[in-house]
Amino acid sequence: MPFFDIVTNVMLLNSISFLSTIFQVAAHCIAPRGKRFIAAQVISIILILAGYILFIISYLQISEDREIKIRIGLAIAGTILISLNWWENYSILFQNPFLTSISEDIAKSRNLVGILSSVVRIIVTACVVGAYVPLSGMDWSTVTSVPKYVGTVIWILVGVQLVSSALGHWFVVVAFKIHGKRRIFLLPLYLASLCVVAAFIAPVIIFYQRSSSHKEGSYTTTEYCNDITYGTGLSHDTVWYERIIRDITYTLCPTHITSLKEIGYLVAYSLCWWLGWVLCTMYIWSLQFNRIARTEDLFVRRMYEGVFLEQSTLLNIRFEFQRKRKRYRKDDPVTVYLCATMWHESYNEMMRIIISMFRMDKFRPKNPSNDVSFESHIYFDDAFKDVRGSQHRHLNKYAEDLVEVIQDVYRLHIDDHLDIIGESQLQDSHFVRERLLQKYLKILYTPYGGRLEYTLPHGNLLMVHFKDKTLIRHKKRWSQIMYMYYILGWQLNRKYFKKFQQLRKENDEEFEKDVEFEKEILRKEMKKEKHNTYILTLDGDTDFQPSAVMLLIDRLKLYPHVGAACGRIHPTGTGPMVWYQKFEYAIGHWLQKTAEHVFGCVLCSPGCFSLYRGAALMDNNVSKTYTTKAAEASHYIQYDQGEDRWLCTLLLQQGWRVEYNAASDAYTNAPQDFKEFYNQRRRWGPSTMANTIDLLGSGSLTSQRNSSISKPFILYQILNMGASILTPATVCLMIAGCLTLILNIHPNISLFLAVTPPVVYLILCYKLKLDTQITIAAVLSVLYAFLMIATILSIIASIVIQSTLWTPSAMFTIILVVLTIITAGLHPKEFHLIIYSVVYFVSIPSGYLFLTIYSMVNMNNVSWGTRETSGPNANPSMRTTKQCICLTKCCRGLSWDCVRVKQKDQATETVVMTDMTENVSDLTPHQEHHQNIELHSENIAQDWVEQLEKTHGFTLYAKSLLREEEEFWIELQRVYLDPLIEDKAKQIRITADLKTLRNQMTFIYFICNAFWLVATFTVQAIGNPVTIPIPKENFNLTQTYQELHIEPIGLMFLFGFTLVMLIQFVGMLYHRVYTLIHYVAVSSTNSKTVLQESNAVQIQDLFEEETELGDETDDSTYFDESYILENSYITESGHGTLV
């Protein structure tokens, strides 16, 4: 290539598509219906061959000596050999076992092959250079004696080439992923070669015209070339860009721009090669693929060629990609089960989750051709109560509220339909409303209590499972086990089990081989359906949009090793406690979850909004282990206090990946009361520590099973765990530093003063009741908030007094503030949350000192702590409810902040679990039996069905389950979900074991903090001999010839904490980029669908299938309609795209 001109070198690279074009022609000939697309490839071959011929003729006309022929032959042979680079793209098409085996082996060890091939390239290049220098008669001194400035230029060019090619390849991949295939992917790559040639030739023409204007008479191109070639009449004081342009001209002059004929040859073979490459890659224009498709699904090889980036990128795109995507879309539908657990939610909280479920129903009307199907389930814990005078148990107030919420939302949807057709067309719209509501409600008696089955307005199913704790085990984890086994066991496995049974009945000697073949097909189908069955876990107050669910589905659809994915959880509510949690959740998601996602796996996918893969939950030692009853003290903490984190730990230990999607937003109520907040974190803190210790304890085995968890990630978690354990001591040191500066006392005295209140509180927590502990913590939190303000101001004051920024505390504070502001700035929709950072930082002593003490000392208390005392609610009016639903109907975001319904008459209805810290309950058995009994003097309903009839206002008919399903529930209850029998002796033993475990863990935890404080105290007492002196610089970075003495222990801790923050910050940057890619990909697929479907989607007549209301019609007839959904997905051939 150095012997040819620049234009030839640039355009010659397009001819490397020669063999790829031949392979495509062969593939189309082999394909049954592929010959219709063969014309472009045939023309491409002809054009490339024509380019070679014109190239040979052009140079042989100048000279026919042997050297020219060798150069031409090497150039053509080199391009053909390079075109072998992408043989894998076509190897499968020829169905050659040898080539297929090699391709599979390379795919399995792609990284190793890439490394080895790169090493081989370097060695071969070095050998060629080493052989060329002596063979060409050159001396090594001519190579090594390059001027320094030339060497600098060479290294700069190499660096620019490496960086630009890497960035170019990355942007190319991004453009493909975000569906910018034509405008920002193909067109730029196609035009790159032409633009490079134009960028070289245009300055040459400009300089030629400028030179000819200074010459007298005619100044031909031949004369100009001679001046450039031999340096005649050129000045030596030219600037750098003039020298570059003359170098370019020098490569063109000897051969091609001295006559029109030579220019014609140059243009002709350049266009032939370019057009041949374009026609070879024309198939890319019609490719169909998923958004954020995996790079390995887009490209054959992960490596890229930096020298000919645009050509190699297009040739590297999979030729069979379109066919694979079509097969995937058609044959792999996804089923998502929305599973919410409820207990003591308020009317407003229930309204949020029910509206979200109705929103999902409207987003994907029931259709067998859908790419995603939805079914909703609600599992209501402890839903029944005893009523004096009735032989059967009745629904409690919370369960009645849920039925009323569903009824209200359902009626409003019916009202919307009646408004469409006009109520004047109906004689009695109230009768129509109640008749339809009765038609689409089914009531079933079940072995665990009862079930309501609603057919939602757009055909999807909503099941409400009312659990009677006297019949089935209650609490959240057992509800999760209940729906896992019901959905994955009964609904999924049973279907294939019946098919296998049918095959066994038909099995005889004549058809034995056929039956075995069908069994193998069934096994593959069952495996695929398990893989494409997802469970969306929800809390009873979660509010979300369909787009958020689809973003999580994308992660599981595209990455088969992802077992779970969670979204961004936003706490809602008002008051200082909610403000604190808003920023706490924000900083946790911005930094901690993104770092876990990027460098390893997310350790906790919150149960309020997470999507789990069915195959992952059905894996060995996941669902089976999850059913383990707590038999030891540590089990109560790890299994029942943080069930979501434990489930994720089981998934990680089995090799599944857990991911985080920042664009998938969900909203849930946060504790607004200080007591409720402390009780919630009392559960979360110890369970988080227990599961993290469990994961770190099996870190070596987990890293072997799970490719996403590496040894460096384990080390990062150890650092994070150590920083968390030492946080109480760190807070005390911060307060001590503040007291030292403000009171001007010795550091050891200030440290003693800072440590004394927490130690006193620690002792009191062992002696006082829970409510008293929380009250003391609240008072101390307020006092320490003022001290925290003083601490922040003291850090600023120390910077001013010492006149330097280079102290560890000052540097740490500056880094902390800068990283926080930058992180918030990279989340523009959440930037306003930085306002709450003030509340968060002044509450650090409360959240990281007193809350830690409270959680550790009360570790033995395994009661739930939240929602345990709640009573009847004042329901909002129908008008207010309809306003809320109307605001949320179009999926334009949350609407609940606009309505605040005050709840009154909060009273205790039931005590779900006695405090495990007490050896014996304060209630007598007789009192315990009657605390769930409600007194009624008249009109007592016989059972819960008759109770619901009064709520609905019309007659309801209850049925029994199918015999097979009833047997399934009975067996499931017997094996896993029988109510736990109260064993006083065991309860006393567990209580004692919990206290022992509490004492051990508290001792270890706080002795570590005590060691840290004692070490700091000792270093401060010794003074300068053990400190690290560093030179002091003032604000303008000039030396002051003074020294600062830094404590090594404090410096080590600050360095470790800063390192963790920087790791999280880098992970956040990486995650933000790919979140943006996902968001843009979703948006780009949106606009296309809207343009195609906006004129096609019509609102169908509500009653076009019904002749009269009394007729028996199919469930989907009345509600079979299509809508243009704003901020949702529109169905196009079974595929969803975000609007």
Side-chain angles (χ1 to χ4, degrees):
M1 293 181 71
F3 300 102
F4 303 123
D5 60 87
I6 289 180
V7 175
T8 300
N9 286 333
V10 171
M11 303 308 291
L12 180 63
L13 297 176
N14 294 319
S15 67
I16 64 175
S17 59
F18 182 62
L19 285 184
S20 294
T21 309
I22 294 176
F23 289 149
Q24 289 181 27
V25 172
H28 283 305
C29 292
I30 295 174
R33 291 177 294 178
K35 295 183 181 180
R36 70 184 73 174
F37 305 110
I38 205 171
Q41 284 76 15
V42 171
I43 296 174
S44 174
I45 294 174
I46 295 172
L47 287 173
I48 294 175
L49 288 175
Y52 284 144
I53 295 171
L54 293 173
F55 170 62
I56 295 171
I57 294 173
S58 173
Y59 274 89
L60 289 181
Q61 281 187 345
I62 301 172
S63 175
E64 295 186 1
D65 60 2
R66 182 171 178 272
E67 186 177 356
I68 287 293
K69 293 179 181 178
I70 292 175
R71 292 173 183 174
I72 294 173
L74 287 175
I76 295 175
T79 56
I80 294 175
L81 290 176
I82 290 175
S83 63
L84 283 171
N85 224 356
W86 301 278
W87 66 271
E88 294 177 65
N89 208 359
Y90 311 98
S91 62
I92 302 177
L93 302 178
F94 301 106
Q95 299 180 352
N96 185 295
F98 177 71
L99 295 179
T100 303
S101 176
I102 293 177
S103 299
E104 292 176 353
D105 291 341
I106 293 176
K108 292 177 181 178
S109 56
R110 181 71 66 183
N111 293 331
L112 181 60
V113 170
I115 294 172
L116 292 178
S117 63
S118 299
V119 173
V120 171
R121 288 184 184 189
I122 294 173
I123 295 174
V124 171
T125 303
C127 292
V128 170
V129 173
Y132 176 78
V133 172
L135 291 176
S136 61
M138 299 173 60
D139 189 71
W140 282 104
S141 60
T142 59
V143 179
T144 57
S145 61
V146 177
K148 185 176 180 180
Y149 75 92
V150 175
T152 304
V153 171
I154 292 174
W155 284 112
I156 291 174
L157 290 176
V158 170
V160 170
Q161 166 67 18
L162 292 175
V163 174
S164 60
S165 60
L167 289 176
H169 174 74
W170 185 81
F171 280 114
V172 160
V173 174
V174 170
F176 218 101
K177 287 176 177 286
I178 66 175
H179 281 213
K181 179 179 60 180
R182 297 179 180 177
R183 288 174 294 177
I184 62 176
F185 177 72
L186 286 174
L187 286 179
L189 292 181
Y190 282 150
L191 297 176
S193 298
L194 300 180
C195 292
V196 169
V197 172
F200 282 130
I201 293 179
V204 172
I205 296 174
I206 294 173
F207 267 71
Y208 165 70
Q209 292 177 347
R210 182 184 301 176
S211 299
S212 62
S213 64
H214 296 292
K215 300 290 183 178
E216 296 180 359
S218 62
Y219 186 59
T220 64
T221 56
T222 303
E223 294 175 347
Y224 177 69
C225 282
N226 289 331
D227 290 341
I228 295 296
T229 302
Y230 301 106
T232 306
L234 296 181
S235 61
H236 297 284
D237 57 349
T238 55
V239 295
W240 62 271
Y241 61 87
E242 291 181 343
R243 291 195 294 270
I244 292 177
I245 293 172
R246 287 171 180 172
D247 288 340
I248 296 171
T249 309
Y250 179 81
T251 66
L252 294 171
C253 282
T255 54
H256 289 91
I257 66 172
T258 57
S259 67
L260 291 177
K261 182 180 179 181
E262 292 167 350
I263 293 175
Y265 277 119
L266 175 64
V267 173
Y269 65 68
S270 297
L271 286 178
C272 284
W273 286 333
W274 182 78
L275 290 174
W277 169 59
V278 171
L279 291 175
C280 173
T281 55
M282 282 295 291
Y283 69 92
I284 302 175
W285 287 80
S286 59
L287 288 183
Q288 300 294 328
F289 51 90
N290 283 339
R291 55 180 174 267
I292 63 167
R294 294 183 298 176
T295 305
E296 63 187 38
D297 288 337
L298 294 173
F299 302 102
V300 179
R301 303 170 67 243
R302 295 182 186 177
M303 304 292 291
Y304 63 91
E305 306 295 340
V307 178
F308 36 91
L309 181 63
E310 62 272 20
Q311 292 88 358
S312 65
T313 299
L314 292 183
L315 295 174
N316 197 26
I317 294 173
R318 290 189 180 274
F319 184 65
E320 276 291 300
F321 184 73
Q322 180 181 7
R323 194 175 303 173
K324 287 184 178 180
R325 291 299 100 190
K326 286 184 177 179
R327 223 171 26 239
Y328 176 82
R329 289 178 172 181
K330 182 179 179 181
D331 297 337
D332 292 348
V334 169
T335 304
V336 180
Y337 294 91
L338 284 67
C339 297
T341 55
M342 284 190 179
W343 182 26
H344 281 178
E345 281 74 16
S346 66
Y347 185 94
N348 260 359
E349 292 171 338
M350 295 177 186
M351 184 66 74
R352 294 161 66 102
I353 187 67
I354 295 302
I355 285 183
S356 296
M357 290 180 171
F358 273 74
R359 198 183 284 144
M360 295 300 299
D361 174 62
K362 186 177 181 180
F363 155 73
R364 269 293 190 279
K366 187 175 183 179
N367 190 332
S369 62
N370 279 349
D371 63 329
V372 181
S373 302
F374 294 97
E375 183 175 304
S376 301
H377 293 258
I378 297 175
Y379 291 80
F380 205 109
D381 255 320
D382 193 17
F384 291 89
K385 64 184 178 183
D386 292 325
V387 176
R388 189 181 298 275
S390 175
Q391 297 180 352
H392 302 280
R393 286 169 66 82
H394 289 208
L395 295 179
N396 60 26
K397 179 60 181 173
Y398 299 100
E400 286 186 293
D401 284 348
L402 176 61
V403 175
E404 185 175 352
V405 167
I406 299 175
Q407 182 176 334
D408 289 343
V409 177
Y410 213 119
R411 283 172 175 166
L412 286 173
H413 276 270
I414 295 175
D415 288 344
D416 290 340
H417 296 306
L418 296 179
D419 291 340
I420 293 175
I421 65 173
E423 292 192 8
S424 59
Q425 299 181 19
L426 300 174
Q427 296 180 355
D428 191 348
S429 60
H430 176 73
F431 171 76
V432 173
R433 182 187 300 111
E434 303 304 327
R435 182 78 170 82
L436 290 171
L437 187 59
Q438 182 183 20
K439 179 179 178 61
Y440 293 104
L441 170 62
K442 185 188 296 183
I443 301 179
L444 297 170
Y445 291 109
T446 63
Y448 56 81
R451 185 165 81 200
L452 304 182
E453 293 185 3
Y454 292 90
T455 302
L456 297 181
H458 294 271
N460 293 302
L461 193 64
L462 167 61
M463 291 188 185
V464 181
H465 306 260
F466 291 120
K467 295 172 57 180
D468 189 340
K469 71 176 184 179
T470 63
L471 301 176
I472 195 169
R473 203 171 300 173
H474 67 291
K475 289 194 175 182
K476 183 177 180 178
R477 178 160 72 96
W478 303 111
S479 293
Q480 291 177 330
I481 293 169
M482 186 176 170
Y483 63 64
M484 285 180 192
Y485 276 85
Y486 176 62
I487 292 171
L488 303 177
W490 169 255
Q491 293 194 0
L492 196 155
N493 274 354
R494 169 180 166 271
K495 176 174 59 176
Y496 290 96
F497 179 73
K498 282 194 166 185
K499 292 181 180 179
F500 279 117
Q501 280 187 326
Q502 186 66 26
L503 286 177
R504 290 194 187 98
K505 292 180 181 178
E506 299 174 356
N507 189 8
D508 52 37
E509 295 182 358
E510 182 178 357
F511 300 102
E512 184 175 355
K513 293 184 179 179
D514 294 337
V515 169
E516 288 299 325
F517 178 73
E518 292 181 10
K519 285 183 178 180
E520 185 63 26
I521 294 177
L522 280 179
R523 292 188 188 97
K524 292 181 179 179
E525 290 180 356
M526 182 171 66
K527 182 178 179 180
K528 181 187 293 184
E529 188 166 352
K530 288 178 181 178
H531 203 74
N532 294 320
T533 299
Y534 307 149
I535 292 180
L536 181 67
T537 61
L538 301 166
D539 280 352
D541 59 353
T542 305
D543 193 357
F544 58 92
Q545 298 291 338
S547 58
V549 181
M550 292 305 296
L551 289 172
L552 296 182
I553 291 175
D554 279 346
R555 307 304 302 181
L556 271 67
K557 245 185 174 183
L558 297 174
Y559 303 102
H561 295 295
V562 175
C566 62
R568 166 73 163 94
I569 309 301
H570 299 264
T572 60
T574 57
M577 290 310 307
V578 178
W579 299 342
Y580 172 87
Q581 292 172 84
K582 281 180 179 289
F583 189 77
E584 181 194 32
Y585 274 67
I587 208 69
H589 285 85
W590 291 350
L591 294 176
Q592 185 173 347
K593 271 202 176 352
T594 55
E596 291 176 349
H597 173 95
V598 171
F599 299 114
C601 285
V602 175
L603 300 188
C604 179
S605 189
C608 59
F609 188 70
S610 292
L611 191 68
Y612 291 88
R613 190 187 300 276
L617 295 175
M618 299 174 75
D619 201 351
N620 295 330
N621 297 324
V622 176
S623 58
K624 177 67 176 178
T625 305
Y626 199 58
T627 62
T628 304
K629 290 191 293 185
E632 301 176 4
S634 59
H635 294 171
Y636 284 89
I637 296 171
Q638 183 179 3
Y639 296 177
D640 295 325
Q641 299 294 285
E643 65 287 332
D644 306 326
R645 186 174 287 272
W646 184 40
L647 181 58
C648 289
T649 301
L650 295 175
L651 291 176
L652 295 177
Q653 290 174 338
Q654 290 303 310
W656 292 95
R657 176 171 171 78
V658 181
E659 290 194 348
Y660 165 62
N661 191 301
S664 178
D665 297 311
Y667 300 79
T668 183
N669 279 357
Q672 303 184 44
D673 181 68
F674 188 86
K675 175 183 176 181
E676 188 176 8
F677 171 75
Y678 259 52
N679 282 331
Q680 181 195 66
R681 301 308 170 91
R682 169 181 54 78
R683 290 188 290 112
W684 288 5
S687 68
T688 299
M689 185 180 301
N691 281 282
T692 304
I693 292 173
D694 183 13
L695 185 64
L696 295 179
S698 61
S700 178
L701 181 60
T702 303
S703 62
Q704 293 177 10
R705 289 184 176 179
N706 197 321
S707 59
S708 297
I709 295 182
S710 60
K711 296 295 179 62
F713 180 71
I714 296 293
L715 179 60
Y716 161 76
Q717 289 298 332
I718 292 174
L719 289 175
N720 206 8
M721 184 79 170
S724 300
I725 291 175
L726 297 178
T727 299
T730 305
V731 174
C732 292
L733 292 174
M734 291 171 58
I735 301 298
C738 167
L739 296 176
T740 300
L741 185 66
I742 295 176
L743 302 179
N744 194 21
I745 58 179
H746 192 274
N748 285 341
I749 298 177
S750 62
L751 181 60
F752 176 79
L753 294 176
V755 170
T756 300
V759 172
V760 173
Y761 179 67
L762 174 64
I763 297 172
L764 292 176
C765 284
Y766 276 94
K767 301 297 181 181
L768 301 177
K769 293 184 178 179
L770 293 178
D771 290 346
T772 308
Q773 296 176 32
I774 294 176
T775 303
I776 296 174
V779 174
L780 291 175
S781 297
V782 174
L783 296 177
Y784 270 71
F786 289 106
L787 279 176
M788 197 65 193
I789 296 174
T791 301
I792 297 172
L793 296 177
S794 67
I795 294 174
I796 299 174
S798 66
I799 295 174
V800 175
I801 293 173
Q802 296 180 1
S803 299
T804 182
L805 296 173
W806 305 107
T807 61
S809 59
M811 288 298 299
F812 176 77
T813 304
I814 294 172
I815 293 174
L816 179 64
V817 173
V818 171
L819 292 185
T820 301
I821 294 175
I822 294 176
T823 302
L826 293 174
H827 298 76
K829 289 186 177 181
E830 302 176 19
F831 185 77
H832 64 280
L833 295 177
I834 202 170
I835 298 172
Y836 303 123
S837 64
V838 178
V839 178
Y840 177 81
F841 284 119
V842 300
S843 301
I844 284 178
S846 177
Y848 293 93
L849 178 59
F850 299 114
L851 178 57
T852 302
I853 295 173
Y854 176 78
S855 300
M856 296 300 296
V857 174
N858 294 285
M859 185 187 300
N860 59 314
N861 185 349
V862 293
S863 62
W864 199 249
T866 56
R867 301 185 186 274
E868 289 191 336
T869 57
S870 219
N873 305 294
N875 295 344
S877 65
M878 187 68 176
R879 179 179 177 184
T880 303
T881 306
K882 188 168 183 177
Q883 290 175 352
C884 294
I885 300 174
C886 290
L887 287 173
T888 58
K889 187 184 305 178
C890 291
C891 307
R892 287 192 175 275
L894 293 179
S895 63
W896 294 103
D897 290 338
C898 65
V899 181
R900 300 293 178 191
V901 181
K902 295 183 178 179
Q903 301 178 13
K904 301 177 181 179
D905 301 326
Q906 301 289 328
T908 302
E909 181 186 24
T910 180
V911 177
V912 177
M913 183 173 183
T914 58
D915 190 351
M916 294 293 293
T917 59
E918 301 296 334
N919 291 335
V920 183
S921 175
D922 294 335
L923 296 173
T924 65
H926 180 75
Q927 290 172 325
E928 290 180 355
H929 176 71
H930 288 285
Q931 64 179 342
N932 275 337
I933 295 180
E934 189 172 322
L935 303 179
H936 291 277
S937 57
E938 57 184 11
N939 297 328
I940 301 175
Q942 293 302 312
D943 63 0
W944 63 276
V945 177
E946 186 177 339
Q947 178 188 6
L948 290 181
E949 288 182 355
K950 295 182 179 180
T951 303
H952 284 77
F954 50 80
T955 305
L956 299 174
Y957 301 97
K959 301 179 180 179
S960 298
L961 289 176
L962 296 175
R963 183 178 60 84
E964 288 182 333
E965 185 177 352
E966 186 172 0
E967 291 176 355
F968 163 79
W969 283 113
I970 292 173
E971 181 67 13
L972 182 64
Q973 289 173 242
R974 184 187 67 81
V975 177
Y976 297 123
L977 298 176
D978 263 350
L980 296 175
I981 300 175
E982 185 176 355
D983 186 344
K984 291 293 184 180
K986 180 180 178 181
Q987 184 175 350
I988 293 173
R989 179 179 63 80
I990 292 297
T991 301
D993 291 344
L994 282 169
K995 288 184 177 180
T996 302
L997 178 65
R998 183 269 313 269
N999 295 336
Q1000 293 173 351
M1001 296 304 299
T1002 303
F1003 175 79
I1004 295 173
Y1005 192 94
F1006 289 108
I1007 201 65
C1008 292
N1009 285 268
F1011 286 156
W1012 189 261
L1013 292 173
V1014 169
T1016 304
F1017 181 88
T1018 304
V1019 170
Q1020 290 178 352
I1022 296 174
N1024 290 340
V1026 293
T1027 58
I1028 302 174
I1030 60 173
K1032 179 181 177 182
E1033 296 180 350
N1034 55 22
F1035 295 120
N1036 57 7
L1037 303 181
T1038 59
Q1039 291 284 346
T1040 60
Y1041 302 102
Q1042 298 178 359
E1043 289 184 344
L1044 293 173
H1045 294 273
I1046 308 300
E1047 297 175 7
I1049 297 179
L1051 179 63
M1052 181 180 66
F1053 179 80
L1054 289 179
F1055 177 77
F1057 198 83
T1058 305
L1059 179 62
V1060 170
M1061 286 186 57
L1062 291 176
I1063 292 173
Q1064 293 178 348
F1065 184 76
V1066 172
M1068 181 272 301
L1069 291 177
Y1070 183 91
H1071 192 270
R1072 291 309 293 167
V1073 171
Y1074 280 90
T1075 299
L1076 178 63
I1077 291 172
H1078 196 174
Y1079 177 79
V1080 175
V1082 171
S1083 300
S1084 64
T1085 54
N1086 261 338
S1087 53
K1088 297 177 185 177
T1089 305
V1090 173
L1091 291 174
Q1092 294 172 1
E1093 296 290 329
S1094 58
N1095 295 326
V1097 179
Q1098 302 292 333
I1099 301 178
Q1100 300 177 0
D1101 188 359
L1102 208 56
F1103 289 94
E1104 63 183 0
E1105 300 288 337
E1106 289 189 340
T1107 56
E1108 59 182 4
L1109 289 174
D1111 291 345
E1112 293 295 330
T1113 58
D1114 183 72
D1115 287 352
S1116 60
T1117 301
Y1118 179 78
F1119 294 106
D1120 185 20
E1121 76 230 4
S1122 301
Y1123 283 95
I1124 299 176
L1125 301 181
E1126 298 179 19
N1127 195 25
S1128 183
Y1129 283 69
I1130 292 183
T1131 303
E1132 178 189 8
S1133 302
H1135 300 288
T1137 53
L1138 184 66
V1139 179

